[in-house]
Amino acid sequence: VTMVNQEFPFSNKGTAAADKQYTFRISPAYISTFLDMGIDIATLANNHTLDFGRDALLDSLDTLRESNITYVGAGEDITRARETKYMDVKGKNIAFLAASRVIPVPDWNATSTSPGLFTTYDATALIEEIKNAKDKSDFIAVYVHWGIERDSTPLEYQRNLAKQYIDAGADIVVGS
């Protein structure tokens, strides 16, 4: 399984976020690069997925779906954004979850009526999802976007959160 952190929307829509130094967006035509690379799953839970707004996010979701690339960490609403995705790998059921602890504004959070991201500033919801996946999977992979740009050593809060995720049932916690 090849998983990536997709820090951009696949879209030609939207307007760049006004208060961000860097905003990223890529034409949906470039999904071919993901296909050429053999990408199976992408996490969208990060600080660039909504750089060009909700329409660009929805375009990105459609582009990934149409290309049969699974995604986690974002969705049309909070239910879909926090949804665990499962893959059968050599007879093992692998669960994938993703959340961000780096978003520029609270409006990027998915809600019951609004597209957005699954975040983990409060670990409760992600821990709940991990626990729900325990009985349905052989292995749980959790991907979290967090930390300080260019820091190469995890901060204490990251270690504490990772331990909570592992105690809840995660087999691996990947942070970026």
Side-chain angles (χ1 to χ4, degrees), residues 6 18-19 31 37 80 83 85 93 126 133-134 139 144:
Q6 180 186 313
D19 296 334
I31 190 69
M37 292 170 56
R80 290 190 175 187
E83 183 179 15
K85 298 295 175 73
N93 193 22
L126 182 52
K134 264 178 97 168
F139 189 89
V144 184

Side-chain angles (χ1 to χ4, degrees), residues 6-23:
Q6 180 186 313
E7 287 209 60
F8 57 84
F10 279 112
S11 184
N12 295 314
K13 294 180 182 173
T15 303
D19 296 334
K20 289 192 75 187
Q21 181 178 9
Y22 300 107
T23 54

Side-chain angles (χ1 to χ4, degrees), residues 110-137:
T111 69
S112 61
T113 59
S114 171
L117 306 181
F118 183 35
T119 60
T120 187
Y121 287 94
D122 174 350
T124 307
L126 182 52
I127 287 170
E128 181 181 314
E129 292 302 320
I130 293 166
K131 288 180 178 179
N132 289 339
K134 264 178 97 168
D135 294 334
K136 302 174 192 169
S137 62

